[in-house]
Amino acid sequence: MGLDHIAAYGGVIVAKMIFDKQMIDAAKNLKIISTYGVGFDHVDTEYAKEKGIVVSNCPESVLRPTAELALTMILASARRLRYHDHTLREGVFLNADEYDNQGYSIEGKTLGILGMGRIGQQVARFAKALGMKIIYHNRHQLDEKLEAELDAKYVDFADLIKNADFLSLLLL
């Protein structure tokens, strides 16, 4: 498949697709390349700059969906969703009256967040709303006002690992 189809466009939005020198040269009318998400590592930004093409990103577009997915995984883990799905698919019907088959609530549990950037902060907001305790480790401690808003406590890495019931890795 040739690249002729891209020549007419003045702007493109790319996700994980490699947008290299060859693509840029084929897009003769290109004025802007925007990435869906935070990073630019799949775009030849230096060459685009040489050609006078603006490269931008949309970091907000992935913030909430990523935080929601992290929360979903925490809830699925607490309620042993994968285990129940697997046993049911194997034809095993678990006794829901048995305590071990019920999973447990996340309320009162401690969420450890490694990487308290924008996504980590959103996960903390969700977790706080569900009654979780929040500890975090980050390159830099958040300011006191934000820590108070999130009800989050800065701890060193060893304490994070030791004291978290759930651990969310949100490093970029």
Side-chain angles (χ1 to χ4, degrees), residues 23-43:
M23 292 285 282
I24 292 169
D25 284 341
K28 299 186 184 327
N29 292 307
L30 202 57
K31 305 283 186 276
I32 186 167
I33 301 167
S34 185
T35 66
Y36 180 79
V38 178
F40 299 103
D41 51 339
H42 55 292
V43 177

Side-chain angles (χ1 to χ4, degrees), residues 12-171:
V12 294
I13 299 173
V14 296
K16 295 180 182 182
M17 169 183 164
I18 301 297
F19 214 84
D20 57 12
K21 183 178 178 178
Q22 181 183 10
M23 292 285 282
I24 292 169
D25 284 341
K28 299 186 184 327
N29 292 307
L30 202 57
K31 305 283 186 276
I32 186 167
I33 301 167
S34 185
T35 66
Y36 180 79
V38 178
F40 299 103
D41 51 339
H42 55 292
V43 177
D44 189 338
T45 56
E46 289 301 315
Y47 189 63
K49 185 177 179 181
E50 285 177 29
K51 302 283 272 184
I53 300 168
V54 173
V55 180
S56 70
N57 64 350
C58 302
E60 294 296 319
S61 64
V62 296
L63 190 154
R64 192 168 181 99
T66 304
E68 288 172 355
L69 182 58
L71 178 65
T72 299
M73 294 169 75
I74 291 165
L75 289 166
S77 177
R79 291 297 172 181
R80 304 181 69 202
L81 189 62
R82 194 219 172 276
Y83 172 72
H84 288 287
D85 178 67
H86 176 75
T87 57
L88 187 60
R89 288 174 190 273
E90 293 294 317
V92 177
F93 296 90
L94 300 171
N95 182 350
D97 293 334
E98 291 181 25
Y99 182 75
D100 286 346
N101 291 334
Q102 295 175 6
Y104 50 90
S105 174
I106 62 171
E107 185 176 16
K109 299 291 191 265
T110 300
L111 172 62
I113 299 175
L114 180 59
M116 193 60 118
R118 295 172 310 109
I119 295 171
Q121 291 169 30
Q122 185 61 50
V123 171
R125 286 182 186 93
F126 289 154
K128 178 183 174 184
L130 293 171
M132 296 185 84
K133 298 172 193 164
I134 300 148
I135 58 176
Y136 76 97
H137 183 76
N138 201 40
R139 284 183 295 221
H140 307 287
Q141 186 171 354
L142 301 176
D143 66 55
E144 290 178 20
K145 184 178 177 184
L146 186 53
E147 278 188 342
E149 175 196 325
L150 299 173
D151 200 14
K153 179 182 175 189
Y154 181 81
V155 296
D156 65 29
F157 182 72
D159 284 339
L160 183 80
I161 301 300
K162 179 181 177 184
N163 295 311
D165 296 307
F166 298 92
L167 184 60
S168 185
L169 308 176
L170 298 161
L171 305 169

